[in-house]
Amino acid sequence: MSQTDTVTDTGEIASVSGPVVTATGLDAQMNDVVYVGDEGLMGEVIEIEGETTTIQVYEETSGISPGQPVENTGEPLTVDLGPGVLDTIYDGVQRPLDVLEDEMGAFLDRGVDSPGIDLEASWDFSPTVSVGDTVEPGDVVGTVPETVSIEHKVLVPPDFEGGEVVEVNEGEHTVTEPIVVLDNGEEVTMHQEWPVRQARPSEEKFTPTEPLITGQRVQDGLFPIAKGGTAAIPGPFGSGKTVTQQQLAKWSDADIVVYIGCGERGNEMTEVIEDFPDLTDPKSGNPLMARTTLIANTSNMPVAARESCIYTGITIAEFYRDMGYDVALMADSTSRWAEAMREISSRLEEMPGEGGYPAYLAARLAQFYERAGRFETLRGDEGSVSVVGAVSPPGGDFSEPVTQNTLRIVKTFWALDADLAESRHFPSINWTESYSLYKDQLDPWFEDNVAADWPEERQWAVDVLDEEDELQEIVQLVGRDALPDDQRLTLDVARYLREAFLQQDAFHDVDTFSPPEKTYEILTAIHTYNDEAFAALEAGAPIEEITSIDAAPRLNRIATQEEYEEYVEELEEEITEQLQALY
């Protein structure tokens, strides 16, 4: 939102308490955007009580004092939508950081603003409608090549009435110039504004039935997320939340990626900002940033802006969903947003809930996650927004309020384990604590597109890993050698599941992404070893000879093979041959 917006009313500051400012003499409504103090700091009305208006300010408030003016725009916080959103890095209130850096260097001044998209840039508009056609809200009137990867579909805004097309302007235009004019006087431009707290309308919300393929075996194979689904990645410090989300952003089969760094440490966001422009999209070969937008809000930025960056990101995701695209949104981390809510709530002297968080914490989280889903757009296409939120519980305590409230909302839970991360097991997702409630509705897709026995193979792997977890408690007491032979063999099979299937090398050119077909082949190869090994054990072969065959360790190498089908076929034959030779 630009500071050129019309000022409808002026009041003055009554008090300042960190990011919370109270003003008097201001005729405002809830969620109106205001400009605070002589420097015009952007803020948002969050409470009105009598003559007193409470504002959360999205910039550092040091230096402003009672008596300074507060200007009300009379408009809610909105985002600029149109071509130019992709391949851009924003701050929490959608100011393009590269534009601001060109104007004032690495350190941003307070009170500055810039439109979210370049209003002067020209785009080559190709119409898909003609004079005399009738269009309705949400209809596509033309396309623009936004990036080398994404064709931007110009939509009739949802709040238009629609009507008959009386004028079409093909060719080069800026985003503010009319490209289609309707008989009722409405002018469609490439630029839209939309309030961030209001979900964009759709025709219908569906039950997701197609998985969001992540290329990570533990997620696709054991705990899948649907396109249009929600997932949480909780974990203690250093357990791999950020790197897991970055892997998802790089490799998931979404058309568009919106990555929100919400209150994260500066060095983590710096890594994202430096790495992403250099990455290549594995699907198209084009730069990954050509289908990505980054929202960078670091821990040293004002806490109130953490809330705006969350809502800015989900609104951008909905905009591309309305074009019929599948969007993946990564929020890292929602705990920092909850901490901002806690600080604002304490400044407002509200009654605290558990852990000092406000009583409405669960409602705010639910409002955010419920905007995910698989939708029928206003024009009849299908689009989806999948939301993956990282949670940073203090000390890795999953019983704390943010984690627990998130668990009540999301349907996929990827629990990160610091012990796994320290042992260099990546992704460090704990397979005994994680779960997915999407499995049943996604199984038909896997059965049709990968293998008919996908659910059975997955359940077999889960059962073996669960049995290993129980046996490890006994092993710690009496040692592995005290176990019966069949249980020792189960531990050996589980080790291959952990090392060859669950573990994945993000730095290996081949292993960093595992398609579902390869995930299935690795699982069936280990299952073959399991079946043949137990057959040999029942036939009287010694357990030491069974576990020491030459072919078995080659299970760990399947993941790094590009031509894995032939490799797996040969390996299964060798395993069968060597084990049957023992009896």
Side-chain angles (χ1 to χ4, degrees), residues 309-327:
C309 78
I310 289 285
Y311 286 112
T312 296
I314 193 71
T315 307
I316 290 173
E318 288 176 335
F319 177 59
Y320 285 96
R321 174 209 73 192
D322 288 348
M323 298 181 199
Y325 289 120
D326 294 314
V327 186

Side-chain angles (χ1 to χ4, degrees), residues 1-5 33 35 42 75-86 88-96 99 113-120 123 146 152 175-176 189-197 200 258 293-295 308 311-320 323:
M1 189 166 190
S2 171
Q3 288 204 32
T4 56
D5 292 313
V33 169
Y35 293 108
M42 182 188 285
E75 298 287 339
L77 181 66
T78 60
V79 289
D80 291 307
L81 302 170
V85 170
L86 296 179
T88 305
I89 301 170
Y90 295 111
D91 74 349
V93 288
Q94 210 205 8
R95 296 181 297 188
V99 173
D113 207 352
S114 177
I117 56 177
D118 188 347
L119 303 181
E120 305 300 324
W123 300 88
E146 181 170 3
H152 185 100
V175 295
T176 56
T189 67
M190 290 182 261
H191 173 243
Q192 296 184 22
E193 286 189 11
W194 193 263
V196 297
R197 295 181 184 275
R200 287 177 65 91
V258 179
T293 187
L294 298 178
I295 299 174
S308 64
Y311 286 112
T312 296
I314 193 71
T315 307
I316 290 173
E318 288 176 335
F319 177 59
Y320 285 96
M323 298 181 199

